[in-house]
Amino acid sequence: MIPFRRLNKAAPIYNAFFSTQIPPSPAHYDDLINAAGKEGDFASVRHLLSKRLSQGCLNTIKTFKFIATDVSVLDDLLLNLAAIDDWFAKKHAHDSLVAQLANLHRTAEALRVAEIMGRKNYGATAATFNPILNALAKKKDMLAAWRVVEAMRACNVNPNTTSFNYILTAYCFTGDVVSAADTLVKMEEEGMKADAITYDALVLGACRAGKVEGAVAVMRRMLDDGVVALFSTHGHIIKEMVGCGYYAAAVDYVRMYAGRDGKLDAENFGYLARRFKYVKRIAEAESVVKEMEKRGLQIDDGLKDLSPFFLLRDTEN
């Protein structure tokens, strides 16, 4: 039986806090909530969750850290979260709890809380379920991830682009281009547009499958669609080209995108030089560093031993 006394008893930690003059902050609220949670004082947890929002202190990834020590208290905790009066405070608390449980890889419990939010109209959205999808995708548990998508629909919550991106990235990381393509079709059928993370996953998948030409084609398609590539997207292609021995092509690729963004140039040329150095193509690495100097790009410490300028300076000193 759930001990209802926990719902009604006084809140000593709550009262102690508000008898002090300590300025409120998210970190301090987290400390108090976790102290109360470890003692099983969920009435204080409930009061603190309500009070922190009224003072502009949103929950953080550490708000429900205490649940890691004893997940068996989840029923008592949920009873008190359901008793929060303010609707947004109640929603925010449940969302934070789902994220914490997912972060602890307690995905079954996280899904249970998310489904409660859906059934009781606590404001469940795709963002509620996405931490669960992320945790499952990282473990490559794709069947469970798709079951979460089904659970979302059962709660009248439509998955968003981020939801599918987690699944897509997991397939692409393992080089499963067939499943990745099927996922992309599902996204398009639901009227979702690919974003930078979607394209990053597709480029990664093509590279993992050893199809660097396909990765370059995806990059061109992304630019045609007006989507700005992430630094990592270029990095996937550079790494694969160097790994396959396409040294000249890798240099041409980096030059092709040079001159538009100084930060991107420094990242791409620098990463190319590091990859050359990693595979012991020192002459090519030195050539890239020399080109970086001509372009006025910043050279990080790991590449300075390839620069005549820095070697000469060190000799003079």
Side-chain angles (χ1 to χ4, degrees):
M1 179 180 294
I2 296 175
F4 283 89
R5 60 184 180 79
R6 290 188 176 179
L7 182 63
N8 300 317
K9 71 177 183 179
I13 294 179
Y14 168 82
N15 292 333
F17 171 64
F18 290 106
S19 66
T20 68
Q21 300 299 316
I22 301 174
S25 70
H28 194 57
Y29 269 112
D30 284 347
D31 289 342
L32 289 165
I33 288 171
N34 280 295
K38 287 178 181 178
E39 292 183 7
D41 183 4
F42 299 116
S44 287
V45 170
R46 183 178 79 247
H47 287 302
L48 289 164
L49 287 168
S50 298
K51 189 66 177 180
R52 68 183 298 162
L53 284 191
S54 70
Q55 297 189 330
C57 298
L58 297 177
N59 297 333
T60 74
I61 193 62
K62 297 181 179 180
T63 298
F64 290 103
K65 191 176 179 180
F66 68 86
I67 201 73
T69 60
D70 186 6
V71 181
S72 68
V73 303
L74 186 59
D75 284 341
D76 287 351
L77 177 59
L78 288 172
L79 176 69
N80 279 271
L81 297 189
I84 296 175
D85 292 329
D86 181 79
W87 182 87
F88 182 73
K90 183 184 297 184
K91 167 186 166 49
H92 190 39
H94 281 82
D95 279 337
S96 300
L97 180 57
V98 171
Q100 180 64 60
L101 289 167
N103 189 53
L104 294 170
H105 302 290
R106 304 298 299 241
T107 50
E109 290 86 352
L111 181 58
R112 177 192 166 201
V113 177
E115 288 178 319
I116 288 173
M117 290 183 67
R119 289 197 304 270
K120 296 190 175 182
N121 296 319
Y122 290 168
T125 65
T128 303
F129 289 84
N130 283 345
I132 310 172
L133 285 172
N134 186 26
L136 292 170
K138 285 181 177 179
K139 293 196 301 181
K140 310 300 183 291
D141 191 346
M142 308 315 295
L143 289 177
W146 284 115
R147 285 196 292 270
V148 171
V149 173
E150 293 173 2
M152 294 171 71
R153 299 191 193 284
C155 293
N156 294 317
V157 174
N158 291 322
N160 59 15
T161 301
T162 300
S163 309
F164 280 108
N165 279 345
Y166 285 132
I167 295 174
L168 183 66
T169 299
Y171 282 134
C172 291
F173 188 83
T174 58
D176 186 351
V177 293
V178 175
S179 297
D182 290 342
T183 303
L184 191 61
V185 169
K186 288 184 174 68
M187 292 178 66
E188 292 174 344
E189 287 175 348
E190 300 203 18
M192 298 179 192
K193 290 186 177 181
D195 61 11
I197 297 176
T198 308
Y199 280 112
D200 184 75
L202 294 173
V203 168
L204 173 63
C207 289
R208 289 271 179 169
K211 299 179 179 180
V212 69
E213 297 88 351
V216 174
V218 172
M219 176 67 79
R220 292 198 187 102
R221 168 69 183 275
M222 174 172 49
L223 297 177
D224 290 343
D225 287 348
V227 179
V228 178
L230 303 174
F231 287 176
S232 60
T233 310
H234 291 286
H236 300 322
I237 295 175
I238 294 167
K239 180 180 180 180
E240 184 63 19
M241 283 184 169
V242 173
C244 291
Y246 303 150
Y247 305 132
V251 174
D252 289 341
Y253 174 83
V254 171
R255 286 174 177 163
M256 181 170 62
Y257 290 98
R260 307 173 193 179
D261 183 325
K263 290 183 178 180
L264 177 63
D265 290 352
E267 181 68 24
N268 281 353
F269 277 100
Y271 186 60
L272 176 60
R274 290 193 296 275
R275 294 310 303 176
F276 278 143
K277 186 177 179 181
Y278 178 78
V279 298
K280 303 189 185 316
R281 303 290 298 195
I282 303 304
E284 287 86 348
E286 289 175 343
S287 177
V288 172
V289 171
K290 187 179 295 184
E291 184 165 348
M292 292 177 70
E293 291 173 344
K294 290 180 179 178
R295 292 176 178 270
L297 302 176
Q298 182 177 350
I299 299 172
D300 62 37
D301 292 339
L303 298 175
K304 288 180 180 178
D305 61 328
L306 301 174
S307 168
F309 171 77
F310 285 103
L311 290 175
L312 178 61
R313 189 183 66 177
D314 291 342
T315 301
E316 291 175 347
N317 292 336

